[in-house]
Amino acid sequence: EVQLVESGGGLVQAGGSLRLSCAGSGFKFNDHAIGWFRQAPGKEREGISCLSPPDGSTYYGDSVKGRFTISSDNAKNTVFLEMNNLAPEDTAVYYCAAVFVRDYGLDCLRIYYDYGMDYWGKGILVTVSS
């Protein structure tokens, strides 16, 4: 069974940092792009960052560009999201998701918005206090 398991969420003060992890299993990690998404109550789900195989090309949404960094440990089938300079508006449930890709040149956030993702984690809450 395909699984994506997020960890590392919690409560952090504004201006602080937090690192999320997403451990994947049950699929070929190197054939899939892995992305991070978030959703606050009453708002649409937002693509915030994505990493494409196998060269590790990265993409970021405008709201987090310059503050968040996505990376991976391919040997462990794990993707990370380092979140810096957090603000209260970053409070949301954060999800990781995977999608099979053939064209490595595509922005994998565009794949999400245009087609969706194949597999989703259950999400973890990140709360940023003032």
Side-chain angles (χ1 to χ4, degrees), residues 13 21 29 38 52-53 70 75 83 86 88 94 111 115-116 119 124:
Q13 289 183 298
S21 298
F29 188 84
R38 68 186 183 187
S52 293
I70 192 170
M83 304 185 293
L86 286 163
Y94 284 70
I111 296 175
Y115 305 106
Y119 311 112
I124 50 171

Side-chain angles (χ1 to χ4, degrees), residues 70-110:
I70 192 170
S71 61
S72 66
D73 183 341
N74 292 347
K76 296 183 177 180
N77 292 348
T78 301
V79 173
F80 307 97
L81 185 69
E82 183 72 30
M83 304 185 293
N84 299 311
N85 194 24
L86 286 163
E89 53 263 38
D90 294 313
T91 295
V93 176
Y94 284 70
Y95 302 87
C96 67
V99 61
F100 176 78
V101 293
R102 297 184 182 92
D103 188 346
Y104 297 155
L106 294 177
D107 180 340
C108 42
L109 289 179
R110 291 301 304 170

Side-chain angles (χ1 to χ4, degrees), residues 4-126:
L4 292 164
V5 181
E6 303 98 337
S7 61
L11 176 66
V12 65
Q13 289 183 298
S17 298
L18 205 61
R19 190 183 79 157
L20 305 182
S21 298
C22 174
S25 61
F27 65 97
K28 290 186 175 181
F29 188 84
N30 206 41
D31 289 341
H32 289 72
I34 311 294
W36 286 98
F37 308 83
R38 68 186 183 187
Q39 188 168 25
K43 297 184 178 180
E44 293 185 341
R45 187 165 55 198
E46 175 189 13
I48 57 175
S49 190
C50 196
L51 186 152
S52 293
D55 58 1
S57 298
T58 59
Y59 306 88
Y60 298 93
D62 289 341
S63 64
V64 305
K65 193 174 299 181
R67 298 189 298 125
F68 292 8
T69 302
I70 192 170
S71 61
S72 66
D73 183 341
N74 292 347
K76 296 183 177 180
N77 292 348
T78 301
V79 173
F80 307 97
L81 185 69
E82 183 72 30
M83 304 185 293
N84 299 311
N85 194 24
L86 286 163
E89 53 263 38
D90 294 313
T91 295
V93 176
Y94 284 70
Y95 302 87
C96 67
V99 61
F100 176 78
V101 293
R102 297 184 182 92
D103 188 346
Y104 297 155
L106 294 177
D107 180 340
C108 42
L109 289 179
R110 291 301 304 170
I111 296 175
Y112 163 69
Y113 286 115
D114 291 342
Y115 305 106
M117 306 291 279
D118 295 330
Y119 311 112
W120 290 87
K122 293 181 179 180
I124 50 171
L125 179 64
V126 171

